[in-house]
Amino acid sequence: GPMGGGGMPAGGGGGGGMGRGGHHHHQSSHGGGSFGHSRPHSGPAPQAYNLPTLEEIIDLVDGEEFSGKKVLSTRTVFARNLPFDVSESEIREIFSPHGDIKMVDLVPGRGMVFVTFFNVKHAESARRDISGRSLGGKDMELNFVNPIFVNTDELNNGTLYVTMRSPTPASNQQLNDFFSRFGTIRDVRDMKSNPMQKFVEFWDSRDCEVARSSSDGQPFNGGIVEVRLAYASKKLTPHA
């Protein structure tokens, strides 16, 4: 299914293991990334994610799991084969024409960077345009990765977990119509276990945040609608 069924409802589910190394990235509470910033975490992450190491992420994007499969686009692009002395401002200059950047996380001395956009479409266009482009005599290589690899505080993956408190379930089209005033909808997905619950995914995570705060508790379909952020899926590879 798309992105593992959209993750899990916020507040539900356990920590879940990710990666093989038992390695935790630490980052500061202001939402900085985990690779370029080694400041200690000032509080517990909302969930205990066991994140893959950088080497494991490299193995993932190079591995057989990715080859020949349609990889789902995400907001985070992992760029490699950059000059080792590339600066954050150079990265921003290359990527920002494609859209607003939420975070740049340079891996020091490795010629690698994670760039997270607010909007999936902007990440898609950056990957299409920048892949294979030469920088400092090297051809850049770009892959999509799960944004949560870079920042465990990145819980807004653009997806709402919607519970309908109404006499009858609404169709996906009704939900699309209700939420599309907040921004362009990427997908509405069923919650297999409960017809009164669905996932609504936006292209832009900022639209998702506005939709959550504006629509929770609002009248809908003869009842009300309860709206939470869905936690990012902990799937290692974002397959379609």
Side-chain angles (χ1 to χ4, degrees):
M3 214 184 271
M8 58 167 74
M18 259 187 25
R20 300 171 295 284
H23 174 92
H24 282 276
H25 293 312
H26 296 286
Q27 62 280 314
S28 60
S29 57
H30 76 279
S34 22
F35 294 99
H37 316 276
S38 55
R39 291 185 287 274
H41 200 290
S42 62
Q47 223 172 337
Y49 286 105
N50 190 12
L51 292 183
T53 63
L54 179 65
E55 304 310 320
E56 286 170 347
I57 293 173
I58 293 166
D59 287 348
L60 275 172
V61 296
D62 286 342
E64 287 176 12
E65 274 205 79
F66 266 96
S67 61
K69 287 192 186 173
K70 183 171 182 286
V71 173
L72 195 75
S73 49
T74 67
R75 290 176 177 77
T76 297
V77 178
F78 177 40
R80 292 184 289 169
N81 210 28
L82 311 169
F84 285 163
D85 60 352
V86 69
S87 68
E88 179 171 330
S89 59
E90 283 177 280
I91 293 294
R92 287 185 179 275
E93 202 171 301
I94 293 165
F95 282 85
S96 62
H98 294 276
D100 292 340
I101 294 171
K102 180 168 188 181
M103 190 170 80
V104 171
D105 199 37
L106 265 174
V107 185
R110 292 292 299 268
M112 300 176 184
V113 67
F114 295 86
V115 180
T116 301
F117 290 87
F118 288 99
N119 193 318
V120 179
K121 284 183 192 287
H122 298 162
E124 289 177 343
S125 122
R127 182 173 185 240
R128 266 196 311 273
D129 182 58
I130 298 166
S131 273
R133 194 197 290 183
S134 178
L135 181 68
K138 296 172 139 196
D139 293 344
M140 295 181 275
E141 185 187 328
L142 276 65
N143 290 102
F144 293 113
V145 294
N146 190 330
I148 208 155
F149 287 3
V150 194
N151 180 13
T152 47
D153 296 332
E154 185 49 84
L155 285 178
N156 178 357
N157 71 332
T159 304
L160 297 174
Y161 172 61
V162 177
T163 304
M164 295 168 270
R165 306 280 180 206
S166 53
T168 54
S171 69
N172 290 10
Q173 186 59 52
Q174 281 173 283
L175 279 160
N176 190 86
D177 294 346
F178 179 81
F179 283 104
S180 57
R181 64 191 136 139
F182 301 109
T184 315
I185 307 285
R186 184 183 190 182
D187 197 16
V188 178
R189 293 189 290 278
D190 298 324
M191 184 86 168
K192 289 180 182 63
S193 56
N194 185 345
M196 302 303 282
Q197 294 176 321
K198 291 185 191 283
F199 291 106
V200 177
E201 183 180 1
F202 289 84
W203 286 104
D204 195 310
S205 57
R206 293 168 295 190
D207 296 337
C208 175
E209 185 53 57
V210 172
R212 184 196 63 79
S213 54
S214 308
S215 61
D216 184 39
Q218 292 300 304
F220 176 71
N221 199 33
I224 64 159
V225 69
E226 281 177 12
V227 183
R228 305 281 178 268
L229 285 180
Y231 278 151
S233 165
K234 295 194 297 293
K235 281 184 68 155
L236 284 172
T237 46
H239 286 311

